[in-house]
Amino acid sequence: MKGWIYAVLGGGFIALQGAANARISADIGTWQAATITQFTGFVTALLIALAVGGGSFKELKRVKPLYLFGGAFAAAVIYSNVTAIQSVGLTLTVAAVLIAQLAMTFVIESRGWFGIAKQKMGLPQFIGIAMMIAGVIVLKS
Amino acid sequence: MWQGLLLAAFGGALVGLQNIFNKRVHEKASPWTTTTLVLGMGFAASLLMGLLMEGEQLFNLGNMKLWFWFSGVIGVGVVVCITQATKLLGPTYATSIALISQIGFALWWDTQGWMGLEKVPFTFNQAAGVLIIVGGILVFKLGGAVKLRSARKPLKDAG
């Protein structure tokens, strides 16, 4: 039950992030919103990292440098998310994001790109994505 | 309409890619080191893009409201909740529920016109569309799991 609550809240926070970014962008601009939310998130995470201890930033030396830059995608993600929300609304934006996100994961995992262990992907994943696209068409009509 | 959807899909593809990169970082680093790095990189990239696109105007925060300064905490909330849910339910179920929850909240807030979103009346098509999407998420996420379970059975019997 506790796991369910965390998962539902986690999804809610992701949706809230989109709505809040769109709202903040309307007032101060999209790049400003992206910079501020990422900056305040960074400071919060840094404070927690220092308080929790346990880890050290030296650990990052063992990571292949390319992967360290994953976070940088957030700039483009926030910009496209906010612009999409302002043009088609939150529901359609989230739907299109989820389809592309799952399709991307599907391709990477089924090919074993970026050192990810190859996973068996097949018909259910194709049907799942097709259903989601059908859902967007129904939603739009 | 299509431009908005395509732009959202572009962002979604990057989210998928980013999740994979972050996963690789997390294999070698503790959760909070990973989160700090990811958000720090997001900040650096946004700052750079903002400066390139708007120059000094980036620092002109005319209509800034106090709560905007706390918006970043939402991202930290995402990490805490998803990490805990994954620990308790495993990645497949935790992400399935979180994905479904995302679209559910989105529909709810759209129909409420919350957070300055353009209010859209709740219709049968919207409910049906979201339900089909939820079905798609479940088939995508759980379809393989069911197959794996049935494939494992004969092995167990043999052992």
Side-chain angles (χ1 to χ4, degrees):
Chain A
M1 190 60 204
K2 227 172 132 190
W4 274 77
I5 295 171
Y6 275 122
V8 169
L9 277 179
F13 279 139
I14 298 174
L16 178 62
Q17 226 172 8
N21 282 336
R23 174 70 186 71
I24 298 171
S25 295
D27 267 352
I28 61 171
T30 308
W31 292 113
Q32 285 81 351
T35 307
I36 284 179
T37 50
Q38 295 291 295
F39 174 66
T40 53
F42 164 67
V43 171
T44 312
L46 181 64
L47 290 176
I48 297 173
L50 294 174
V52 172
S56 143
F57 287 91
K58 282 182 194 151
E59 296 163 337
L60 297 175
K61 282 188 186 160
R62 289 182 289 153
V63 181
K64 202 175 157 191
L66 170 70
Y67 302 132
L68 297 176
F69 292 93
F73 290 125
V77 169
I78 294 173
Y79 187 86
S80 46
N81 228 340
V82 164
T83 314
I85 292 170
Q86 286 168 348
S87 107
V88 297
L90 189 59
T91 312
L92 276 172
T93 301
V94 168
V97 164
L98 294 186
I99 291 169
Q101 182 187 337
L102 290 178
M104 189 58 150
T105 317
F106 174 77
V107 172
I108 293 174
E109 291 190 343
S110 60
R111 312 226 160 188
W113 284 344
F114 304 114
I116 289 290
K118 247 192 198 185
Q119 277 173 33
K120 263 202 178 161
M121 294 277 185
L123 198 57
Q125 281 70 39
F126 274 111
I127 297 174
I129 289 181
M131 280 175 75
M132 291 173 77
I133 294 172
V136 168
I137 295 167
V138 172
L139 198 62
K140 241 167 62 73
S141 55
Chain B
M1 182 65 147
W2 286 108
Q3 276 170 329
L5 284 177
L6 280 176
L7 204 55
F10 167 73
L14 289 182
V15 170
L17 192 61
Q18 194 195 34
N19 284 343
I20 300 273
F21 280 31
N22 295 351
K23 204 169 164 183
R24 298 304 314 268
V25 176
H26 190 209
E27 285 166 5
K28 301 264 166 73
S30 58
W32 287 109
T33 306
T34 308
T35 308
T36 307
L37 170 80
V38 169
L39 291 168
M41 281 292 173
F43 164 58
S46 304
L47 184 69
L48 192 71
M49 284 305 293
L51 284 173
L52 283 176
M53 306 300 277
E54 307 203 350
E56 276 175 30
Q57 270 303 106
L58 181 68
F59 303 105
N60 181 9
L61 309 173
N63 284 314
M64 189 70 189
K65 293 184 178 64
L66 183 67
W67 73 266
F68 294 175
W69 290 111
F70 298 93
S71 56
V73 181
I74 303 169
V76 173
V78 172
V79 175
V80 172
C81 289
I82 301 296
T83 313
Q84 290 301 318
T86 307
K87 256 185 214 164
L88 292 162
L89 305 169
T92 308
Y93 286 98
T95 20
S96 308
I97 298 165
L99 295 175
I100 293 167
S101 158
Q102 256 183 79
I103 191 103
F105 275 108
L107 179 62
W108 181 30
W109 293 337
D110 260 342
T111 54
Q112 298 297 312
W114 192 60
M115 276 267 190
L117 291 163
E118 201 179 318
K119 192 169 176 169
V120 275
F122 184 74
T123 61
F124 172 78
N125 274 3
Q126 278 182 327
V130 166
L131 280 177
I132 297 169
I133 292 170
V134 167
I137 294 171
L138 290 173
V139 171
F140 184 98
K141 280 283 171 188
L142 308 178
V146 173
K147 212 167 140 196
L148 266 178
R149 205 172 291 155
S150 57
R152 238 182 246 152
K153 244 185 196 163
L155 276 175
K156 253 187 199 166
D157 291 345

